[in-house]
Amino acid sequence: MAYLTRRTVFCSTLLLMAAWTQNSYAQQVTAIAGEPWGVGRLVVSFPRADFGDPIDSEAFSISDPNGRIFYPVFKPRRFLPLLQSLLGADTITPPQELEVYFLFRGDSPLELTVETPTPQKFQVTPRQFRDGPHRNMTNQWWRTYNEVARQRTDSSDHSPVLETYLSMMLSDRLGLAPPPLSERSLQDRSALEPSQSLSALMGTEAVHDAMLKAIMNNELAPQGNLGPVVPPIQWAPLATPQPKADVEIESIAKYVPEECFYIRFGSLNNYLWLNKLLERNGGDLSRMISNRRVAFHLNEVVQRQLALKQSELAEIFGDKVVQDVALIGRDTYTREGAAIAMLFHAKQSPLLANDINKNRQDALKKYQRDGATLETVKIGGRDVSFLSTPDNTLRSFYVTRGDFHLVTTSKTIAERFLSLENTKTSLANSREFQYARGLMPVSREDTVFVYLSSQFFRGLYSPQYRVEMRRRLQSVIEMELQQMATAAANNEGYQDTSVEGLITAGFLPPNFGKRADGSNTIISNDTLGDSIRGGRGHFVPIPDMDIVGMTPQETADFNRLRQFHMTEWRQMNPILVGINRFKLNDEGLERIAIDARVSPFQRSNFGQFLSFLGPPLPTHIATTPQDVVAFQAVLDGRFSSGATHYAVAVQDLPFPLEQFTNQGFFNTLRMIQATPGYLTAFPKPGLIDQIPFIGPAAAPDIYGYSQLPFGLLRREYNGFSTLSFHPEILADVTPNLAIVEDSHPAQVRIHVGDISNAQITPLANGLAQSVAKRGSLANAAFFQEVHNQLGIPEDQAKGFADQLLNLEFIDPLNGQFVYEVNDKGNGRWVSTAWNEEGKDFQANVMDWFRGLEARLNVDESLIEFHAQIDMQNEKPQQGLKLPGFNLFDLGGAFGGSKKKEGDEKPKTPTPITPQAEELPEPIPQPAPLPEPAPSGKQF
């Protein structure tokens, strides 16, 4: 309490000093006329009504009645900002003033309205142009503009397309070089280097940003004569051990091409379980862990494109019709348009075919106005059903072989599926897959089995994939640039917003739109598309695109990639993952067991990451029962005399929430000091003793204690060196630390207890809420920036932002973004959750997470990861009332005969209790850790 009182008094003093000095800053307005732009600056004080969310969400704008203000930048300022930041006072006290720079046209007086969001009006007559003052103020505007853009980029949860575009476009049009910090960022193309090919493979935001900068800087060569497609990379042979002669292979694998990824569910119920998990999290499993700021709705997009809709009866009767299910494909680029397929092994093929065809007819009817067609096409000499729309919102091939039904977005996958009847290039015939099935046999009955073959990875590095990935990325970025350029030109009053007009005016680079394949952006009814690939988010799958030639630049880029992989990363290692579910009780508590392996494995591919790890040890550090979170790792001896076993743990003890904040150096230090945890190492690494001045002064007393800076304590006891800010934790933990045997060798071990209802739960929720609130405010600030920079009407800014990035901005606080207009007619974007400040916040992970045990083992031929996650599912509902229709009705979900008109109406059915999922019986809880030997066994 004493600390809180001192900080409150200090912050109050700061506020008084700020109030005393505000009058010297308020209503400072300067404007200098010029061509093509004048430049202005003003400083206003914040009214008390704006303190809190209005300021934190940057609900700022500046305007004049004649629309003469452009490209403003807003910078909240504080009295003694460095001191406030160090002391953390900036987390309590609001900014005291707002500095605004802006460009304007003309030399007549300006009638300015600055909204903070409280409107404040000013009148200023621009001074006549003088080169020196005008240049100096323009440079001040430019430095501040780039500084704020960098801050937004660092804090964004999405690609910084708007900030990058505006900085580069204005730099080129105004002849202003970016400031040094911004220049380094704008010149960074490292994500496009061959050594970063994995980033390109994953389609990271860094790759998108690097390509955007290259396009804006006019670095992509214009369309020219195409040369031949170069041969693929010659990968080193993969030394796959001989599989067992009697290894069991599931039937469905015989119908999967060896170059496809393979996710087998084993039953329809397993697939439905994962699908429901996706639906509960908006199609993004990462939302189970963190409260995301954007949503992609990819699961919904894929189901719509394939025209596969889950029926209400599938959960109860689906396993009577479907024997096995697998998701396969050549890639997972679902944001742009993936080559994927659903493969079903039917028990009753007519019923399954009827259900699939009914879904296709429903989709045809729903999208008829969008040009949907359902036709029969020839593929490999076979009739194949093809459902499509011109923009590929629907793109679904349906073909069968016996009891195996394939629904896919890719014509190429359909061709390969049919060709397997006459070739031995299926996954089941692959020696690599047979060896994998020896490691993870079918008899495990995994809920989900994932196999990524070396052929799958090699396909992603083929010339076709690498070239088309770059071309479709260029297409997507040019759609974004054309949207922003058109909006900026409209805002500035330009009439010609054609591509040629935008290039001439400097809103787009000279080589814009000159693509190697001759494609161009199509804008129709506020939707965007590519002239040869389809609508954005529904591009033609990469295997279906014909690459008839490569530009010299594409050839040079691929040859550099080839050289890197033939000398540095010479093999692609297959990955296999098995996921199984176990029932722990009748209240919905389950254990998810995950086994992942990379085998065969070439250690040199992962040398940089693995170089820090020591050898796998069949031992671990026995910690205390109070440790709710514990992380252990065996590291090599580069910083000590040999391999060292480290453990860091947080105990389930009360955390003083008044200490919670992660802003400001001293506040962060105080939060770390208050966290009830410790770090220990065996044998003693001696790192602290090597630090000048600190090491010699850290000699232990007779009990092994020594005092370190910032209140940190160390105790050397029984061969362990342990650090903590809490002497009572050191006293309790150190006598119990010991090295104990473990049946599983590993270098890394993780333990997380049930944090959903523990003493540390408020800390976890506080951290999650802090991150979510910053994200919520940042999203609202981005909508405001779209309005300020591009002139999009404020109430339409979110819709423009969603379309620009092809996603949906959502509130990580679980509220809704709304455009709120007050009684004075002033509006701003807010979240409905901001009004629930006092309401308890619960992190998404707390809804389901009940514990984790994990370990990682790496040797010369294998990477092995095992984890057990306890999760709480919803308890099955009793007495589920089913819809009143005949299961086998031809018009129903699975077919049958229709009743004639006049037949007796069906009675309301009796509620039916669906059969519970048949999970394995509760498994025993893990055996307790062995007690350490009296002497504390060590090595």
Side-chain angles (χ1 to χ4, degrees):
M1 288 299 296
Y3 159 72
L4 284 177
T5 302
R6 288 195 301 270
R7 192 161 79 152
T8 302
V9 170
F10 175 76
C11 294
S12 300
T13 304
L14 280 178
L15 283 172
L16 289 173
M17 295 176 68
W20 181 73
T21 57
Q22 271 183 351
N23 290 334
S24 64
Y25 291 112
Q27 302 187 7
Q28 292 185 16
V29 186
T30 305
I32 304 174
E35 289 295 337
W37 304 98
V39 59
R41 173 184 179 271
L42 61 86
V43 178
V44 299
S45 59
F46 283 116
R48 182 174 296 275
D50 294 339
F51 289 177
D53 293 335
I55 293 177
D56 295 337
S57 63
E58 301 179 31
F60 314 136
S61 64
I62 182 172
S63 61
D64 86 318
N66 299 314
R68 295 165 56 194
I69 306 299
F70 303 93
Y71 305 111
V73 57
F74 304 89
K75 185 178 180 181
R77 303 198 313 188
R78 298 175 181 275
F79 176 72
L80 300 176
L82 180 59
L83 179 61
Q84 287 197 43
S85 178
L86 285 173
L87 296 175
D90 54 353
T91 64
I92 296 180
T93 62
Q96 287 81 51
E97 60 195 17
L98 180 67
E99 184 178 34
V100 186
Y101 287 94
F102 58 93
L103 303 182
F104 67 92
R105 284 184 175 151
D107 55 7
S108 59
L110 292 165
E111 301 286 342
L112 301 177
T113 300
V114 178
E115 296 185 10
T116 61
T118 300
Q120 303 183 51
K121 296 184 179 297
F122 307 91
Q123 185 176 42
V124 59
T125 300
R127 299 190 324 217
Q128 289 187 342
F129 173 80
R130 290 175 55 196
D131 183 64
H134 183 273
R135 184 172 61 253
N136 289 339
M137 187 174 288
T138 299
N139 289 335
Q140 292 174 24
W141 163 79
W142 187 232
R143 282 194 300 269
T144 306
Y145 195 92
N146 280 273
E147 177 188 349
V148 172
R150 288 196 306 272
Q151 292 171 356
R152 289 186 180 279
T153 299
D154 293 341
S155 64
S156 69
D157 197 29
H158 53 83
S159 183
V161 294
L162 180 62
E163 295 82 3
T164 302
Y165 166 72
L166 290 170
S167 295
M168 298 190 75
M169 180 269 289
L170 291 172
S171 174
D172 186 63
R173 288 178 66 197
L174 302 180
L176 296 171
L181 288 176
S182 296
E183 186 174 19
R184 283 195 292 272
S185 173
L186 294 175
Q187 291 179 352
D188 183 13
R189 307 289 186 274
S190 58
L192 301 178
E193 293 297 316
S195 60
Q196 302 298 315
S197 60
L198 188 60
S199 296
L201 196 71
M202 298 172 66
T204 63
E205 299 294 356
V207 174
H208 180 284
D209 195 36
M211 179 66 84
L212 188 153
K213 295 168 186 173
I215 293 173
M216 283 299 297
N217 205 37
N218 221 41
E219 296 170 15
L220 299 189
Q223 180 182 4
N225 295 327
L226 298 179
V229 177
V230 298
I233 298 170
Q234 297 299 312
W235 301 95
L238 190 65
T240 304
Q242 180 66 37
K244 298 176 182 178
D246 59 348
V247 64
E248 181 184 0
I249 303 295
E250 60 269 33
S251 298
I252 200 170
K254 299 174 184 177
Y255 295 80
V256 179
E258 63 182 352
E259 68 273 16
C260 286
F261 71 78
Y262 176 58
I263 304 176
R264 183 200 180 212
F265 299 97
S267 71
L268 188 62
N269 274 343
N270 290 340
Y271 166 72
L272 295 176
W273 166 76
L274 183 62
N275 194 50
K276 285 198 292 186
L277 203 60
L278 282 166
E279 288 179 348
R280 283 203 299 266
N281 293 279
D284 185 357
L285 289 181
S286 66
R287 289 175 63 181
M288 295 178 67
I289 306 297
S290 63
N291 295 59
R292 297 293 302 273
R293 292 161 53 177
V294 296
F296 301 106
H297 304 295
L298 299 180
N299 195 40
E300 177 186 332
V301 169
V302 171
Q303 289 192 27
R304 179 173 62 242
Q305 191 171 33
L306 289 173
L308 287 176
K309 183 177 64 175
Q310 179 180 324
S311 68
E312 296 180 17
L313 296 179
E315 294 186 45
I316 302 173
F317 300 102
D319 277 345
K320 304 294 184 184
V321 177
V322 177
Q323 178 173 323
D324 204 348
V325 186
L327 174 66
I328 68 173
R330 291 286 305 276
D331 61 65
T332 57
Y333 303 135
T334 48
R335 281 200 67 189
E336 298 84 18
I340 57 176
M342 288 299 301
L343 179 60
F344 301 92
H345 183 185
K347 289 181 179 177
Q348 301 187 47
S349 277
L351 298 182
L352 178 60
N354 186 74
D355 188 44
I356 292 174
N357 284 321
K358 181 182 183 302
N359 282 334
R360 298 169 77 78
Q361 289 291 338
D362 290 344
L364 175 66
K365 183 178 180 180
K366 181 177 180 179
Y367 290 94
Q368 199 160 16
R369 291 186 177 181
D370 298 316
T373 59
L374 180 61
E375 56 187 321
T376 300
V377 297
K378 288 285 186 182
I379 297 179
R382 290 277 304 277
D383 286 344
V384 176
S385 172
F386 180 42
L387 173 67
S388 66
T389 55
D391 66 350
N392 293 322
T393 296
L394 298 177
R395 181 180 175 87
S396 177
F397 295 89
Y398 172 41
V399 61
T400 63
R401 280 181 54 202
D403 288 333
F404 292 86
H405 300 242
L406 181 84
V407 183
T408 179
T409 61
S410 170
K411 179 181 178 183
T412 302
I413 291 179
E415 287 176 338
R416 288 285 288 122
F417 170 75
L418 293 171
S419 73
L420 294 180
E421 196 167 10
N422 303 312
T423 66
K424 294 186 176 181
T425 57
S426 71
L427 208 57
N429 290 322
S430 162
R431 173 171 173 163
E432 193 182 285
F433 181 74
Q434 292 171 2
Y435 173 69
R437 267 314 192 187
L439 295 175
M440 287 190 182
V442 175
S443 59
R444 286 168 46 104
E445 297 185 353
D446 288 313
T447 304
V448 182
F449 175 75
V450 180
Y451 186 71
L452 309 179
S453 67
S454 62
Q455 292 283 0
F456 165 70
F457 288 114
R458 291 175 183 180
L460 297 177
Y461 281 95
S462 66
Q464 179 185 35
Y465 257 84
R466 301 301 293 191
V467 170
E468 176 57 18
M469 283 170 62
R470 285 287 188 94
R471 291 180 181 178
R472 59 163 47 184
L473 180 57
Q474 180 181 358
S475 175
V476 166
I477 291 173
E478 289 193 351
M479 290 180 194
E480 295 168 346
L481 292 177
Q482 190 168 341
Q483 282 180 275
M484 292 184 290
T486 301
N490 284 330
N491 189 43
E492 290 189 31
Y494 281 82
Q495 300 299 315
D496 185 0
T497 56
S498 64
V499 170
E500 294 76 14
L502 294 172
I503 292 174
T504 301
F507 291 98
L508 292 173
N511 286 343
F512 181 88
K514 299 177 181 178
R515 305 178 195 166
D517 53 18
S519 63
N520 56 76
T521 298
I522 297 176
I523 302 177
S524 176
N525 298 326
D526 294 327
T527 60
L528 298 165
D530 183 290
S531 58
I532 65 174
R533 291 176 177 84
R536 184 177 181 185
H538 309 100
F539 281 173
V540 174
I542 293 178
D544 294 0
M545 291 294 297
D546 292 327
I547 307 297
V548 297
M550 296 170 60
T551 66
Q553 188 176 33
E554 290 171 339
T555 300
D557 288 343
F558 189 83
N559 285 336
R560 291 170 59 220
L561 180 72
R562 181 207 312 277
Q563 182 64 25
F564 172 77
H565 282 286
M566 292 183 68
T567 56
E568 301 291 335
W569 194 305
R570 304 180 62 241
Q571 290 180 342
M572 290 287 107
N573 304 115
I575 298 174
L576 53 156
V577 181
I579 303 174
N580 226 322
R581 300 166 62 202
F582 298 94
K583 172 182 171 184
L584 293 181
N585 63 26
D586 294 327
E587 302 300 318
L589 185 64
E590 296 180 2
R591 173 162 294 166
I592 309 299
I594 303 173
D595 288 295
R597 296 188 180 189
V598 179
S599 180
F601 160 62
Q602 184 179 11
R603 190 180 180 96
S604 61
N605 287 354
F606 305 88
Q608 185 175 3
F609 166 70
L610 299 179
S611 63
F612 291 94
L613 291 180
L617 300 179
T619 56
H620 67 264
I621 297 177
T623 54
T624 68
Q626 288 79 23
D627 296 342
V628 69
V629 178
F631 175 86
Q632 300 190 28
V634 180
L635 303 184
D636 69 354
R638 67 182 61 192
F639 301 117
S640 56
S641 57
T644 306
H645 208 141
Y646 292 87
V648 59
V650 176
Q651 298 200 316
D652 187 22
L653 297 173
F655 179 88
L657 287 181
E658 65 269 13
Q659 300 284 10
F660 170 70
T661 177
N662 55 356
Q663 297 186 18
F665 172 77
F666 291 111
N667 272 349
T668 302
L669 176 61
R670 277 189 288 268
M671 187 181 74
I672 294 173
Q673 290 171 333
T675 302
Y678 64 92
L679 167 67
T680 190
F682 180 91
K684 174 186 173 182
L687 298 177
I688 293 177
D689 296 330
Q690 300 174 24
I691 301 175
F693 304 109
I694 296 177
D701 61 18
I702 60 173
Y703 300 104
Y705 290 94
S706 52
Q707 181 73 53
L708 301 174
F710 301 109
L712 184 64
L713 297 170
R714 177 177 67 174
R715 190 181 192 192
E716 299 174 41
Y717 189 92
N718 204 19
F720 287 84
S721 178
T722 308
L723 303 174
S724 179
F725 287 100
H726 303 268
E728 67 279 8
I729 290 180
L730 282 180
D732 178 61
V733 166
T734 49
N736 297 309
L737 293 173
I739 300 294
V740 298
E741 301 291 340
D742 196 297
S743 57
H744 300 284
Q747 287 107 326
V748 177
R749 303 178 195 273
I750 302 172
H751 161 78
V752 182
D754 184 358
I755 58 174
S756 65
N757 189 26
Q759 296 186 81
I760 203 172
T761 303
L763 172 61
N765 283 330
L767 286 168
Q769 184 176 25
S770 175
V771 173
K773 183 62 181 286
R774 288 201 302 271
S776 181
L777 293 167
N779 278 359
F782 183 66
F783 306 152
Q784 190 66 41
E785 191 69 3
V786 166
H787 163 70
N788 288 334
Q789 302 301 322
L790 300 179
I792 302 297
E794 281 186 289
D795 60 339
Q796 301 174 27
K798 181 182 181 299
F800 181 90
D802 289 348
Q803 185 188 47
L804 175 66
L805 296 174
N806 192 33
L807 47 76
E808 180 189 7
F809 283 90
I810 59 176
D811 181 18
L813 288 172
N814 300 321
Q816 297 291 327
F817 286 116
V818 295
Y819 185 69
E820 184 178 83
V821 180
N822 62 22
D823 53 4
K824 297 181 180 179
N826 302 313
R828 65 185 181 101
W829 283 97
V830 301
S831 163
T832 55
W834 295 353
N835 295 325
E836 302 174 352
E837 198 67 43
K839 184 179 178 181
D840 288 340
F841 179 86
Q842 180 166 288
N844 287 354
V845 70
M846 298 297 181
D847 290 336
W848 62 270
F849 181 82
R850 297 298 180 266
L852 165 70
E853 300 289 341
R855 65 176 183 271
L856 173 69
N857 173 31
V858 182
D859 61 23
E860 293 302 320
S861 61
L862 174 73
I863 296 180
E864 183 179 28
F865 173 78
H866 175 78
Q868 291 184 348
I869 304 173
D870 292 346
M871 66 183 298
Q872 181 67 52
N873 275 333
E874 297 175 359
K875 186 177 179 180
Q877 296 294 319
Q878 299 296 315
L880 174 66
K881 192 172 182 178
L882 298 180
F885 54 81
N886 188 341
L887 174 61
F888 298 104
D889 191 307
L890 278 173
F894 291 99
S897 60
K898 286 190 178 181
K899 291 197 173 193
K900 296 180 181 179
E901 188 175 353
D903 283 354
E904 183 181 355
K905 294 182 180 179
K907 297 179 180 179
T908 302
T910 304
I912 300 175
T913 301
Q915 183 179 356
E917 287 187 274
E918 296 182 359
L919 294 180
E921 287 302 311
I923 60 176
Q925 293 293 331
L929 296 176
E931 293 293 331
S935 59
K937 183 176 179 181
Q938 302 171 10
F939 63 96

